[in-house]
Amino acid sequence: VRYRRAEYYHAHTAREVLSLTHKSWIHGDPRKVVYPTDSHGQFCGQQGTPNANKAILFYFNILQCANPAVLINLQCPTTQLCVSKCPDRFATYLDMQYNYRYNKSYWEYYRQFCKPGFDNPRKVPRLMPPVTCVVCLCVSVLQRCFPDFITRNGTLTVANKTVFKDGLGKTRSVIDLRDAANGITSLLDAKEVGMKIFEDYANSWYWILIGLVITMVVSLAFILLLRFTAGVLLWLIIFGVIAVVGYGIWHCYWEFSTLRGKPYGDGDVTISDIGFQTDFRVYLQLSQTWLIFMISLSVIEAVIIIILIFLRRRVRIAIALLKEGSRAIGYIMSTLFYPIITFVLLAICIAYWAVTAVFLASSGDAVYKVMSTPDKCVYANLTCDPETFSQTNVTKVCPGSQCTFAFYGGESLYHRYIFVLQLCNLLVFLWLVNFTNALGQCTLAGAFASYYWALRKPQDIPSCPLFSSFSRAVRYHTGSLAFGSLILAVVQMFRIVLEYLDHKLKGAHNAFARFLICCLKCCFWCLEHFIKFMNRNAYIMIAIYGKNFCTSAKDAFFLLMRNVVRVAVLDKVTDFLLFLGKVLISGSVGVLAFFFFTRKIPVIQEEVPSLNYYWVPLLTVIFGSYLIAHGFFNVYAMCVDTLFLCFCEDLERNDGSPLKPFYMSPQLHRILRREQGSKLYAAS
């Protein structure tokens, strides 16, 4: 029955996921996202088409575009052409006619940026259709041509010009171009920063990889050493973190005092005075920055010391649990490499969500709308058919109007619910991610439970416990894991919706609405973390007894409530110690990377690559090191949680008699029984 139930949930989930994928992949076309589209609905840069060598979109008259968002969304009311490269010179139609008298090649260059079919360089501008072909010095951003604005001596220019004639008898200013492409300067700045970051990655990827490999080796060695010297290593971690934070406080105070002591330095300048800077080294020259660092580190140091003072006995018990966990991992070494499987499955989930989202976003047919130069045209922004547009009376009522491509969409039921389908795709993504994590937790719990419930260790431990646990989870517990993952995914979906509503209400003046959203966000945050905690313990009970999700969650909840003090202290202290291990490993590798990339290691100064921002590889190494350490220590945390639940269940089911012997190891039984004895002594 359990097998059939799992098969039903598995088949139903797969059918819903495949249905959404089938719909999106039938109607979607990723080319609509990859390639820009011209006014005729043709893709720029697509192989096998006339635009194969024209991968950049050029706006016929960028003065008609009043917003950069309009440009990016391909809804600018002007003709859009596919070109091989953006203009590298500034010229208007009048400039071309003037230079054409002396050099015929000017027309050959200029004609590629004019409307197709126009081939008369001598035509009088006022007799041309009422559209202006402004060719400016441009740069390519997001595969689109935008004006190359340069500030010279405080004056905004394009190709050293501040004014130009638009060909219709009007003198236009470069300010008009800037207003038409408002915000493009920030895009160009972002592109410049992005290019520098890309260069830094290209120059330092080898050393980043070495740093991550060092982290993996250190994490693995740390866990192996933890099996033999758990107490010594954990106390070294605690005092090591205290020492590192203490050194950080001293260094921040020294930097603060040095900057404060400079008579003409930047010690009195505040962060708000300089604003946002892409070069973070600027902030390190401010005394206020080091003061903030010093206060933050002091608070962290005080919290760590207070926790250790009041929970020193619980720390000893947590160390005993970690020793038992290290012994279990020592017998089942394959569990240390299971995070690789989880990483691969998560990568597949992310790839599925991204591909499906692209197909959904590109669903729809080409929609053409009437683009008119006169602002009061009654047909403006109405849909049209480019094949029959010339036969209608729109061109008579609105001279110069065109039927140009606007966007991809449709009026069918499917196209009206694209946004809903995107939300469904997001829900499926959250469901699959949570299911992958649940599968990993259930698999590891089953492997460690097989260790605990072996009466004679290691003789009674089954062969290949990790593979056997994975096979049981996939064959019998798929439905339970999917159900628990769905509950968590729904709560996470509500949190995402609340974040969206909070973002929309930021500018609102309704204080009650913002207060309500804030309360709901807090409640759902607590609910999500509670469900994660309960799901984790429910999966352990599923791995032990093989019952369904609801029964296992109920049993786990009441078992934890009967041992609420141990749960509140031991589990959190264990998590805290493991977190300190992650911080120590990632922090140590980060400090080593900092001294390396800032050329403060004399022996290998010549090997350091030239970088624009040294913090790019540094943050990458620190973040990657923390993720790698988290993957290894997460296995350890799951081991401790499983052994703890098994211990609580063992105490309730057995009494240590020959008929009901304890399955726990003698060391764990002695330590935890000692805790109970001390409590009874204190009570008496």
Side-chain angles (χ1 to χ4, degrees):
V1 174
R2 183 169 65 248
Y3 175 74
R4 288 197 298 269
R5 186 183 296 116
E7 286 293 317
Y8 169 76
Y9 280 113
H10 182 72
H12 182 71
T13 303
R15 185 167 57 250
E16 294 297 327
V17 172
L18 291 177
S19 176
L20 176 62
T21 305
H22 177 72
K23 281 285 187 182
S24 63
W25 287 22
I26 285 180
H27 297 278
D29 187 355
R31 296 177 304 174
K32 301 172 184 176
V33 179
V34 176
Y35 301 106
T37 309
D38 64 8
S39 297
H40 301 284
Q42 298 176 349
F43 300 119
C44 298
Q46 183 186 2
Q47 298 298 323
T49 65
N51 293 330
N53 298 324
K54 302 176 180 179
I56 304 175
L57 192 66
F58 174 73
Y59 295 91
F60 197 69
N61 185 3
I62 200 173
L63 293 172
Q64 297 292 333
C65 307
N67 194 316
V70 174
L71 301 180
I72 297 173
N73 292 327
L74 302 178
Q75 298 181 28
C76 182
T78 185
T79 302
Q80 301 157 26
L81 307 175
C82 295
V83 295
S84 58
K85 63 177 182 178
C86 294
D88 57 5
R89 68 187 71 170
F90 190 96
T92 62
Y93 186 74
L94 292 178
D95 296 331
M96 182 277 301
Q97 284 190 322
Y98 177 79
N99 292 290
Y100 178 73
R101 303 172 185 174
Y102 308 101
N103 191 342
K104 306 298 182 182
S105 63
Y106 272 86
W107 168 244
E108 296 300 325
Y109 175 82
Y110 189 80
R111 69 186 304 175
Q112 62 180 324
F113 303 108
C114 288
K115 189 174 180 180
F118 180 76
D119 56 357
N120 189 356
R122 293 187 173 88
K123 193 167 185 178
V124 180
R126 65 174 178 272
L127 299 179
M128 294 170 56
V131 289
T132 307
C133 187
V134 179
V135 179
C136 63
L137 179 63
C138 297
V139 292
S140 176
V141 180
L142 301 176
Q143 290 184 278
R144 290 160 178 83
C145 295
F146 291 129
D148 187 12
F149 295 112
I150 298 177
T151 302
R152 298 182 183 276
N153 298 325
T155 304
L156 188 67
T157 64
V158 174
N160 295 325
K161 292 187 176 183
T162 58
V163 295
F164 60 93
K165 294 184 178 180
D166 62 1
L168 291 177
K170 295 183 179 179
T171 300
R172 310 296 292 265
S173 170
V174 174
I175 303 298
D176 296 334
L177 279 177
R178 185 195 63 183
D179 295 339
N182 186 26
I184 298 302
T185 305
S186 60
L187 288 176
L188 297 179
D189 291 341
K191 179 193 174 185
E192 182 181 0
V193 173
M195 290 299 297
K196 290 183 178 180
I197 292 176
F198 179 79
E199 291 176 0
D200 290 342
Y201 277 123
N203 294 331
S204 61
W205 68 268
Y206 178 76
W207 296 103
I208 293 175
L209 187 61
I210 291 178
L212 298 181
V213 171
I214 292 175
T215 302
M216 185 174 63
V217 173
V218 172
S219 300
L220 183 60
F222 180 86
I223 291 179
L224 293 178
L225 289 175
L226 198 63
R227 178 185 179 186
F228 306 102
T229 57
V232 175
L233 283 179
L234 286 176
W235 284 114
L236 284 177
I237 288 176
I238 294 172
F239 291 113
V241 171
I242 293 176
V244 169
V245 177
Y247 171 78
I249 295 174
W250 175 84
H251 183 75
C252 292
Y253 175 76
W254 181 79
E255 292 283 356
F256 173 77
S257 302
T258 302
L259 292 175
R260 275 291 186 183
K262 291 182 178 180
Y264 301 104
D266 297 329
D268 297 329
V269 180
T270 62
I271 296 177
S272 59
D273 292 337
I274 64 173
F276 176 76
Q277 301 290 330
T278 56
D279 189 359
F280 288 97
R281 288 175 292 185
V282 175
Y283 297 105
L284 299 180
Q285 305 301 320
L286 306 180
S287 61
Q288 187 184 44
T289 303
W290 294 103
L291 179 62
I292 294 174
F293 287 162
M294 183 177 64
I295 294 175
S296 302
L297 292 177
S298 300
V299 172
I300 295 174
E301 186 87 335
V303 170
I304 294 175
I305 294 176
I306 291 173
I307 290 176
L308 291 177
I309 291 175
F310 288 97
L311 299 178
R312 59 187 184 278
R313 292 183 179 178
R314 301 298 183 184
V315 170
R316 297 193 186 99
I317 299 174
I319 291 174
L321 284 173
L322 287 175
K323 285 183 177 180
E324 188 66 20
S326 64
R327 192 174 294 109
I329 289 181
Y331 290 124
I332 315 175
M333 289 290 293
S334 57
T335 54
L336 290 176
F337 302 97
Y338 186 84
I340 298 176
I341 299 177
T342 301
F343 175 79
V344 172
L345 294 178
L346 288 177
I348 294 175
C349 294
I350 295 174
Y352 160 79
W353 167 76
V355 171
T356 305
V358 168
F359 271 90
L360 284 173
S362 59
S363 298
D365 302 322
V367 176
Y368 296 85
K369 289 192 174 184
V370 177
M371 299 296 178
S372 177
T373 302
D375 297 332
K376 298 182 180 180
C377 177
V378 294
Y379 296 102
N381 294 326
L382 295 181
T383 57
C384 58
D385 186 356
E387 297 182 358
T388 61
F389 181 74
S390 59
Q391 303 173 5
T392 62
N393 64 339
V394 177
T395 55
K396 299 178 181 178
V397 177
C398 304
S401 59
Q402 306 173 63
C403 183
T404 59
F405 168 80
F407 54 87
Y408 290 103
E411 300 297 332
S412 65
L413 183 65
Y414 170 79
H415 294 104
R416 287 200 296 267
Y417 287 93
I418 289 292
F419 180 73
V420 177
L421 292 177
Q422 287 283 19
L423 292 179
C424 293
N425 182 40
L426 179 59
L427 177 62
V428 170
F429 169 70
L430 296 174
W431 191 0
L432 292 177
V433 169
N434 291 324
F435 178 81
T436 301
N437 293 328
L439 179 62
Q441 293 173 356
C442 188
T443 300
L444 293 174
F448 294 128
S450 65
Y451 162 82
Y452 185 92
W453 297 109
L455 187 59
R456 296 178 303 165
K457 302 175 179 62
Q459 292 85 356
D460 293 341
I461 299 177
S463 59
C464 303
L466 183 66
F467 179 77
S468 300
S469 178
F470 180 80
S471 301
R472 289 194 303 269
V474 172
R475 183 175 182 182
Y476 297 112
H477 309 319
T478 308
S480 297
L481 300 180
F483 183 64
S485 304
L486 177 61
I487 296 175
L488 182 58
V490 171
V491 175
Q492 291 173 338
M493 194 69 186
F494 273 107
R495 286 198 63 198
I496 293 175
V497 173
L498 289 175
E499 290 290 344
Y500 174 77
L501 294 177
D502 182 57
H503 177 73
K504 289 294 184 181
L505 291 175
K506 278 186 176 179
H509 300 286
N510 192 334
F512 176 76
R514 286 180 292 161
F515 173 76
L516 181 61
I517 291 294
C518 183
C519 292
L520 289 175
K521 286 172 59 179
C522 180
C523 292
F524 274 95
W525 181 88
C526 297
L527 179 61
E528 179 185 356
H529 283 71
F530 174 76
I531 291 177
K532 283 183 177 180
F533 176 76
M534 287 306 305
N535 281 4
R536 184 183 180 91
N537 291 279
Y539 298 147
I540 295 175
M541 299 300 287
I542 289 174
I544 296 174
Y545 294 108
K547 297 180 181 180
N548 60 51
F549 176 80
C550 295
T551 303
S552 299
K554 181 191 68 174
D555 295 341
F557 177 77
F558 287 111
L559 181 62
L560 294 174
M561 289 297 101
R562 292 192 294 270
N563 299 271
V564 63
V565 177
R566 290 195 183 103
V567 173
V569 178
L570 298 181
D571 186 63
K572 294 308 173 185
V573 168
T574 304
D575 290 343
F576 174 71
L577 294 179
L578 293 178
F579 173 74
L580 291 182
K582 300 174 191 176
V583 172
L584 182 62
I585 292 176
S586 59
S588 301
V589 176
V591 170
L592 180 63
F594 172 78
F595 284 115
F596 174 77
F597 289 116
T598 54
R599 302 176 183 272
K600 293 184 178 180
I601 302 179
V603 181
I604 53 176
Q605 280 186 349
E606 300 298 329
E607 302 294 333
V608 181
S610 178
L611 301 172
N612 297 298
Y613 309 115
Y614 75 90
W615 51 264
V616 171
L618 177 62
L619 293 181
T620 304
V621 170
I622 294 176
F623 183 71
S625 299
Y626 184 84
L627 290 181
I628 292 175
H630 175 75
F632 280 96
F633 281 87
N634 193 42
V635 175
Y636 228 59
M638 195 67 199
C639 178
V640 173
D641 291 344
T642 303
L643 295 180
F644 181 72
L645 272 186
C646 290
F647 166 77
C648 295
E649 190 72 13
D650 193 14
L651 282 181
E652 294 187 355
R653 294 179 57 183
N654 304 306
D655 54 9
S657 63
L659 296 178
K660 294 182 178 181
F662 287 122
Y663 284 83
M664 70 187 72
S665 65
Q667 297 87 349
L668 183 62
H669 183 217
R670 183 172 59 255
I671 292 173
L672 294 177
R673 279 297 187 183
R674 187 184 304 165
E675 178 201 1
Q676 289 183 342
S678 62
K679 288 182 179 179
L680 292 175
Y681 178 79
S684 62

